[in-house]
């Protein structure tokens, strides 16, 4: 019987970058600007998958600068 692989509900910074297709610098900038929310766990951040997917959905059709300025 084949084991089912459980899906993660939160990702490390590296995993979040791979998931959303950003480099770490851009992900950090968007987190600091409040565009992507994360949970601070000790000295690390974890990113809920739902938050990454919501960020994408909220910003379809927008242009966002590295500093977090959103243009319609």
């Amino acid at each position: 019987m084949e084991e089912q692989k459980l899906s993660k509900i939160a990702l490390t910074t590296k995993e979040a970058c791979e998931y959303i297709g950003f480099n770490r610098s851009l992900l950090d900038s968007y987190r600091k600007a409040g565009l992507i929310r994360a949970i601070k766990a000790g000295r690390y951040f974890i990113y809920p998958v739902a938050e990454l997917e919501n960020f994408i959905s909220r910003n379809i059709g927008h242009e966002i600068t590295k500093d977090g300025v959103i243009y319609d």
Side-chain angles (χ1 to χ4, degrees):
M1 188 168 158
E2 192 174 315
E3 289 184 35
Q4 290 184 354
K5 191 174 185 179
L6 295 176
S7 297
K8 290 186 174 187
I9 60 169
L11 305 172
T12 65
T13 299
K14 182 179 178 182
E15 292 169 334
C17 288
E18 292 171 1
Y19 186 83
I20 203 165
F22 291 166
N23 63 37
R24 183 184 183 126
S25 175
L26 188 58
L27 183 64
D28 287 344
S29 293
Y30 287 177
R31 178 183 45 76
K32 290 174 185 174
L35 296 175
I36 295 178
R37 296 179 305 169
I39 300 163
K40 185 153 174 126
R43 60 182 216 179
Y44 301 101
F45 287 96
I46 57 173
Y47 295 85
V49 171
E51 176 63 20
L52 299 174
E53 291 174 349
N54 288 335
F55 170 80
I56 292 169
S57 295
R58 286 191 311 265
N59 293 294
I60 290 175
H62 296 126
E63 179 183 345
I64 306 173
T65 68
K66 183 174 180 174
D67 298 322
V69 177
I70 301 172
Y71 295 101
D72 290 325

